[in-house]
Amino acid sequence: MPIVQLAGIRPFQNKSSKDKYFVNITRTDRIRSFVLRAGRTTGGQQRAIDELGPQFLIPFQESALDLQQVFGGSSHPKILEIGFGMGETTAKIAALRSDDDFLAIEVHPPGVGALLKLIGENHLTNLRLIRHDAVEVLEKMLTPNSLDGIHIYFADPWHKKRHHKRRLIQAEFVKLLVSRLKPEAYLHLATDWQNYAEQMLLVLNAESDLENTSTEKMSIETFSAADVASDLELAKESFKEFKPTLEQLDAKHPGYLERPAYRPTTKFENRGIKLGHGVWDLVYKKK
Ligand SMILES: C[S@@+](CC[C@H](N)C(=O)[O-])C[C@H]1O[C@@H](n2cnc3c(N)ncnc32)[C@H](O)[C@@H]1O
């Protein structure tokens, strides 16, 4: 399979860091949950990549990662974060939970630079970053039963219906996540888009190896009978996109939790809350 550089991504500008960390992304038929935006890496972010990259940025590799070794031999619990954006939440959680180690993944280079900068400013030692597609990192670098927790906060919701197949939280991806969790380990998601929150609930509640930790019972509000998959769609082997069943639309479901205290609110979230928008936290435990 040819290795290609995707259009729209700007590699790290410094040659030494580019050579080491700018790993080309393999083109596959899989629909991706992200779009590589051509954001500019600032001077400060680039300096952080050059100075702190060698210590905190792990290059993508096709083989399994020794998690204990990348955290300097630490046997602390290992938490994975997918899609950390500019890393403000990640840095705050790592500072608060200094007895846990955090492996954080993002594809967007300025975000990687921004989080490395926060690592330096806050003297954090329990964070390691990978700039790559999280799906491939999970498949290739992380071994079954190796993680104590997974955080996915405000993953791109893909609002338009025709883009729903790009949403990260679909049954097949959830199976991959669950396989990497240890028994009793947790999966924590948050979103500010109710329709995506309901998709998450239905997909995760249907995964037999997960238990929803919420005791709330709620009905589905944002999907209707028009969203149910047709027999024709279900018959197609290639049909992977989430669509609810009529039974799911009629039933009550284990629901959401109050935001756990370790997850700080972001400025976007605070702005939304002031405008009366909701935020939904979902926490599951692997059986
Ligand atoms: C809306 S942002 C949220 C960022 C951050 N979690 C927050 O709460 O502010 C979602 C991020 O997830 C990243 N992302 C989406 N799919 C990803 C994937 N498969 N692998 C790595 N990063 C991904 C995107 O690049 C984007 O920066």
Side-chain angles (χ1 to χ4, degrees):
M1 193 177 293
I3 303 288
V4 294
Q5 183 177 313
L6 294 183
I9 187 162
R10 207 171 272 193
F12 300 140
Q13 284 125 22
N14 175 285
K15 189 156 187 347
S16 57
S17 60
K18 174 182 165 184
D19 288 345
K20 203 155 176 196
Y21 302 113
F22 179 58
V23 179
N24 290 330
I25 294 179
T26 313
R27 194 193 290 281
T28 68
D29 291 337
R30 187 159 44 74
I31 296 166
R32 293 188 187 280
S33 56
F34 58 87
V35 171
L36 291 167
R37 289 161 280 139
R40 214 180 71 79
T41 304
T42 66
Q45 291 163 356
Q46 187 60 49
R47 255 192 313 285
I49 291 165
D50 293 338
E51 289 167 11
L52 299 175
Q55 194 182 345
F56 295 100
L57 191 51
I58 301 167
F60 174 76
Q61 62 188 42
E62 297 272 341
S63 54
L65 189 66
D66 181 336
L67 273 180
Q68 189 158 347
Q69 193 215 323
V70 298
F71 285 95
S74 158
S75 57
H76 286 170
K78 302 289 182 271
I79 313 296
L80 176 75
E81 182 176 356
I82 296 175
F84 60 74
M86 299 306 274
E88 297 99 335
T89 295
T90 317
K92 282 186 187 153
I93 296 179
L96 184 75
R97 290 173 48 177
S98 54
D99 286 339
D100 291 326
D101 293 328
F102 295 88
L103 179 65
I105 308 176
E106 175 54 62
V107 286
H108 194 45
V112 172
L115 183 49
L116 285 168
K117 202 159 163 280
L118 289 172
I119 287 176
E121 286 163 3
N122 295 288
H123 312 289
L124 299 172
T125 56
N126 58 338
L127 247 173
R128 298 291 181 275
L129 317 187
I130 301 178
R131 195 191 71 79
H132 202 78
D133 178 3
V135 180
E136 285 182 25
V137 173
L138 280 154
E139 286 172 347
K140 307 267 171 62
M141 294 178 75
L142 297 172
T143 52
N145 301 311
S146 58
L147 298 170
D148 296 272
I150 298 178
H151 296 170
I152 307 178
Y153 300 146
F154 306 98
D156 293 282
W158 295 106
H159 300 97
K160 291 184 184 158
K161 273 204 179 139
R162 68 192 156 91
H163 291 150
H164 280 189
K165 43 179 129 16
R166 282 183 169 272
R167 287 179 172 178
L168 203 51
I169 306 303
Q170 318 264 359
E172 201 179 337
F173 178 65
V174 169
K175 286 220 171 297
L176 177 62
L177 290 178
V178 171
S179 72
R180 271 40 184 174
L181 288 172
K182 294 176 184 167
E184 309 276 305
Y186 73 92
L187 171 61
H188 178 188
L189 300 100
T191 180
D192 56 357
W193 186 247
Q194 190 180 5
N195 180 256
Y196 199 12
E198 293 194 341
Q199 171 167 336
M200 289 174 175
L201 266 192
L202 294 179
V203 172
L204 295 167
N205 287 351
E207 170 50 56
S208 58
D209 284 336
L210 286 177
E211 189 183 327
N212 191 329
T213 63
S214 167
T215 51
E216 182 190 43
K217 289 274 178 193
M218 38 83 53
S219 307
I220 297 300
E221 293 175 356
T222 66
F223 287 98
S224 70
D227 297 310
V228 168
S230 66
D231 291 345
L232 202 67
E233 285 173 318
L234 292 174
K236 274 195 211 154
E237 213 194 305
S238 59
F239 183 72
K240 295 264 162 62
E241 181 186 342
F242 169 77
K243 295 221 170 170
T245 62
L246 274 179
E247 293 73 33
Q248 284 175 325
L249 295 184
D250 289 341
K252 291 230 175 225
H253 305 271
Y256 309 105
L257 274 194
E258 286 291 308
R259 175 176 58 85
Y262 60 79
R263 186 179 75 72
T265 50
T266 65
K267 57 178 185 296
F268 301 105
E269 187 176 352
N270 286 332
R271 201 183 305 151
I273 291 167
K274 277 195 196 124
L275 291 169
H277 302 163
V279 173
W280 293 267
D281 280 83
L282 298 83
V283 181
Y284 287 79
K285 199 167 85 172
K286 182 170 170 180
K287 290 180 190 164

